[in-house]
Amino acid sequence: MFCPKCGSENTDTAVHCIRCGTAMPRMEREYGLGTSVSASSPASPRVTVSNNLVWAILATLFCCLPTGIVAIVYAAQVDSKLSAGDIAGAQASSRSAATWSWVSFGIGAVFVVGYIGLVILGATIGHR
Ligand SMILES: [Zn+2]
């Protein structure tokens, strides 16, 4: 398993991290994967971190904003960091991808509301 603080690899039975000394959490409690981690293969625990790639792509498609691209970049980092064993980094990238996705949706919503507002304003002025 990997240290949640510094990411260095430790044995599954380690109580403290060999590099930074952080108390090692039990996998089940830390990641909530007690049922999905097979007891027959304790040497290769599968930790899944949502990469939020779907949200990032949707944000880019429907909002057409550079912030959506940023979200996709972060989402792409999640899988590569996971495969490299950098769980903490993957989780950080996952959060960044989600944040930038919502920023994109928020800006897109502001533009839509602003456009509708201008249309209504234009119609109101036109009736005078
Ligand atoms: Zn550590």
Side-chain angles (χ1 to χ4, degrees):
M1 64 186 291
F2 297 94
C3 173
K5 186 176 181 183
C6 71
S8 62
E9 188 168 9
N10 287 267
T11 60
D12 290 338
T13 56
V15 179
H16 293 282
C17 174
I18 55 175
R19 185 194 288 178
C20 70
T22 299
M24 300 298 282
R26 288 191 56 78
M27 294 297 286
E28 293 83 358
R29 180 165 56 82
E30 177 70 9
Y31 298 109
L33 295 174
T35 54
S36 60
V37 175
S38 173
S40 60
S41 59
S44 60
R46 300 295 301 170
V47 178
T48 56
V49 177
S50 172
N51 59 19
N52 291 309
L53 184 58
V54 173
W55 290 111
I57 292 174
L58 284 176
T60 306
L61 286 179
F62 291 103
C63 302
C64 301
L65 289 165
T67 49
I69 303 295
V70 176
I72 289 179
V73 170
Y74 276 116
Q77 288 178 356
V78 175
D79 289 335
S80 59
K81 285 185 176 180
L82 261 188
S83 60
D86 185 6
I87 297 170
Q91 288 171 332
S93 291
S94 176
R95 279 194 296 273
S96 297
T99 300
W100 282 105
S101 295
W102 286 114
V103 167
S104 301
F105 281 124
I107 295 175
V110 167
F111 270 101
V112 169
V113 170
Y115 176 76
I116 293 174
L118 284 176
V119 169
I120 293 174
L121 187 65
T124 304
I125 293 172
H127 280 295
R128 280 178 186 168

